Structures are given as structure tokens and as C-alpha cells.
Amino acid sequence: MSVRVTVGIVLHDSAADIVACLAALSAQTRPADAVVVLDNASSDDGLGRARQAMPEARLERSGANIGFAAGHNRAMALEPADIHVVLNPDCRLAPRFLEHAIEAIEADPTIGAVSGRLLRFRDDASDGGSLIEQPGDILDSTGMVALRNRRVLDRSSDLPAAGRDLAPADVFGASGAAAVYRRTMLEDVAFEGEWLDESFFAYREDVDLAWRAQLLGWRCRYLPTALARHRRRVAPGRRGALPARINRLSVANRWRMIAKNELAAGWRRDWRSIVGRDVQILGYCALREQPSLLAVADVAGDAVRLRAWRRDLMRRRRAADEDILGWFGGRAERAAP
């Protein structure tokens, strides 16, 4: 029996992107069984444009901006499926993206997530670029790579695409711009009904989910044949141009995911790198980004819930210490079996 697939898209002032995103989704060789478009209290007409572009989609409007994580949790709850696709409105999927991702998940029950090959939109093309890889393309993400200081970055981001990451492989996790998740995995990593941790609101929630999945023994497969293009607006090096709230969330969410997911063995091995990175963050905030210092209070206020989530996760952990620690500062990928 064929699996059921739901695609969730959360909008916040995304009217400029949603029509092209839905057009690419409509062109999939393996169509989604349901599409949920949830508008997070936008000031534009993104939901109206979505209705015109895909009238069969389930359209929902939130009276307040509940955040990326809570928005996608709501979308998943509205249209339960065997496979859930978390898709950014500024992302366009090549026609066989869903087909290849679904085939991979159906073929191997240990795969909990799939990362595609995300290319940057091209500045030299009026439509952002063909959905076929072109000479001169730049990679946006081929999964996640984790460092010993607990930074987790998009693998191969900003590098020329030609000749790079051309083989399927297991990676740490999938970018939330276009991530494909098995529902069984989402249920396994959930806590108190939340798949994505809603306290994150936005940013790093995909890393937190990937880390939890690794701890529980789920694999993430990178597929170079699952192509997409993404217009990345938030990236390292652009902090000065971002709203203060986003920067504060980024700092707080680093500490939230470490508090929940870090192993005792990982702390013993890498505490110098972790603390060194945190000293850099605090020093930068004190000198140039003072509002982000309030992230300390944000995490302290969430301490009880973080401890409860951590206890539940560590009680059920299935992966060995060495399997998890190998990702941090070691391998960027594992060869696909």
C-alpha cells in the first residue's frame, strides 16, 4: 500500500515566494497527498496567493505568529501522514524530489529523514535559476555537519556545486528548508506532543530534531538526486543585518539544544571547545549585540522543561556514545549501506 505524504509550508510575509514554491510542488512526479499552508499572522496576502495557486491545499491562518516550529507541528497534526515534508516557501523542489526521497524512506526502515541537494537561487536568472543543476551553481546544503564546539552548519554551503557531494551518504541531519521526515521517527523523538521543540520558535529547531533522532538511532540519508533551490536569508556572517529577536533566538537555541542533547561523554571530551565557543558568543554579545545577552534568561526560564525533555531522551537513547561523538568534529558523512 502506498504511503501517505503531507507537505507543510509555514508563511510569514512570504507572498513573494509562495506561488513559485507551490508551482514546483504541483509539478512533482510523485504528488503529495496533502499540502498544508499555514500563515503565521503575515502582513501580506501570501495565503490569498496560495489559495489561487493551489486551491486544493488546506489553508490555515494563525491569529498570532506562533513560530516556525509550532507552525509545522500544527501542519503535521492537521494532516497526519506516513511521511512529512517540512518546506520553506523560499524553496523550489525539482520535479523528482519527492519521488526520490520517498523511495529512500520506503526502502530502508532505519532511515528517519532525507536531505536533498539544495542549490542556491541564481542571481543571474530572473526566475532564480533552472531546477536542473547548472555550471556555476553554488550549494546551499547537502545535509548538516557538526563541529566539536557544537556548531552545526549546512554541509558544503557556499561552495561550488560542481563535482561535490555526488554520492548518497548518511549525514547528521537535514536542513529545515526542505526536510523529509518519517512519521514513526517524529513520534519517537517527540516530547509532550511536540515533534519540533516549540520553545525554539525559529532557528536551530531542525538541528535539535536531527540530534534527538541520532540519539535514538535514526539515520538521515543525503540524496544528490533530490534537487531543490533555496533562497537563504539567514546565514553565519549576516548577523548585523538581522533583527535583534532572531539573533537572541539563535543564541538561546544553541544552549537549549546542548542542554537537552549533549552526552556526558561528549562534555568530557569537548568541554574546552564548547566553553570556548560560548565565551566567544558572550563576548561578542557584550560588545556588539547586547540584546542577545537576554538569551541567558530565556534558557534559565526554560530549565525545568529542558531537564524533563533531557531525562526522557536519555532514558530512551539507543545510539552508543562513539556513534554520536563521531559526528562532532569527525566525519561529515557515512557511506550509505
Side-chain angles (χ1 to χ4, degrees):
M1 184 172 65
S2 178
V3 298
R4 178 173 172 80
V5 179
T6 289
V7 176
I9 304 170
V10 173
L11 308 182
H12 183 67
D13 295 338
S14 309
D17 293 313
I18 188 58
V19 173
C21 175
L22 291 176
L25 195 55
S26 296
Q28 292 297 297
T29 56
R30 197 299 188 185
D33 298 287
V35 177
V36 180
V37 181
L38 184 142
D39 184 84
N40 249 342
S42 294
S43 60
D44 62 19
D45 65 341
L47 204 61
R49 295 188 187 188
R51 182 177 289 107
Q52 291 182 335
M54 187 179 281
E56 69 274 20
R58 181 164 183 169
L59 306 176
E60 301 284 334
R61 187 186 301 276
S62 174
N65 185 356
I66 60 175
F68 180 93
H72 277 291
N73 282 346
R74 183 178 295 184
M76 293 180 209
L78 287 169
E79 290 288 349
D82 304 291
I83 296 173
H84 285 276
V85 182
V86 169
L87 183 63
N88 273 13
D90 60 1
C91 202
R92 291 170 56 195
L93 305 182
R96 300 187 69 185
F97 184 98
L98 290 184
E99 176 188 343
H100 288 302
I102 293 163
E103 284 176 352
I105 287 182
E106 286 189 295
D108 191 331
T110 68
I111 293 176
V114 168
S115 166
R117 181 177 179 84
L118 275 59
L119 306 168
R120 288 281 169 80
F121 274 84
R122 296 178 65 99
D123 294 333
D124 58 353
S126 60
D127 65 350
S130 167
L131 293 177
I132 300 172
E133 192 165 322
Q134 303 288 318
D137 270 334
I138 299 298
L139 288 169
D140 181 76
S141 178
T142 61
M144 296 175 181
V145 59
L147 309 182
R148 291 186 74 149
N149 62 10
R150 297 320 184 251
R151 291 187 76 191
V152 180
L153 307 171
D154 286 287
R155 190 171 73 124
S156 299
S157 183
D158 292 320
L159 296 178
R164 189 179 301 275
D165 299 342
L166 299 180
D170 282 2
V171 293
F172 185 75
S175 166
V180 184
Y181 297 124
R182 185 190 296 272
R183 178 73 176 218
T184 309
M185 182 275 285
L186 291 171
E187 296 290 353
D188 193 26
V189 305
F191 179 71
E192 295 183 343
E194 293 184 14
W195 301 294
L196 292 167
D197 185 343
E198 295 180 11
S199 72
F200 280 54
F201 190 83
Y203 307 107
R204 302 188 198 265
E205 71 292 313
D206 51 352
V207 179
D208 174 65
L209 177 56
W211 200 341
R212 284 183 276 136
Q214 288 290 343
L215 286 165
L216 291 174
W218 292 98
R219 294 162 50 214
C220 179
R221 176 69 59 84
Y222 161 67
L223 294 179
T225 54
L227 282 170
R229 287 195 185 271
H230 180 219
R231 183 178 294 108
R232 184 170 294 274
R233 293 183 170 90
V234 178
R238 301 180 189 172
R239 294 186 68 90
L242 298 176
R245 187 185 185 196
I246 290 179
N247 290 331
R248 176 175 166 180
L249 281 168
S250 177
V251 174
N253 291 347
R254 166 185 165 82
W255 294 333
R256 285 189 174 106
M257 68 180 187
I258 290 174
K260 287 164 57 179
N261 304 315
E262 185 58 64
L263 297 175
W267 178 253
R268 288 193 298 269
R269 191 193 74 174
D270 293 334
W271 70 268
R272 291 178 181 84
S273 296
I274 298 169
V275 171
R277 176 63 182 170
D278 288 333
V279 168
Q280 289 179 335
I281 291 170
L282 289 169
Y284 178 88
C285 292
L287 292 173
R288 301 186 60 181
E289 197 179 282
Q290 289 85 4
S292 291
L293 291 173
L294 293 172
V296 176
D298 295 338
V299 177
D302 204 21
V304 172
R305 185 170 182 270
L306 290 170
R307 283 196 296 268
W309 199 321
R310 177 181 178 83
R311 282 195 299 268
D312 177 74
L313 182 60
M314 294 303 165
R315 175 179 59 82
R316 298 186 298 112
R317 176 168 68 98
R318 295 188 288 271
D321 287 357
E322 56 269 23
D323 289 336
I324 299 300
L325 296 185
W327 289 114
F328 289 96
R331 56 180 178 266
E333 63 179 49
R334 288 173 175 161

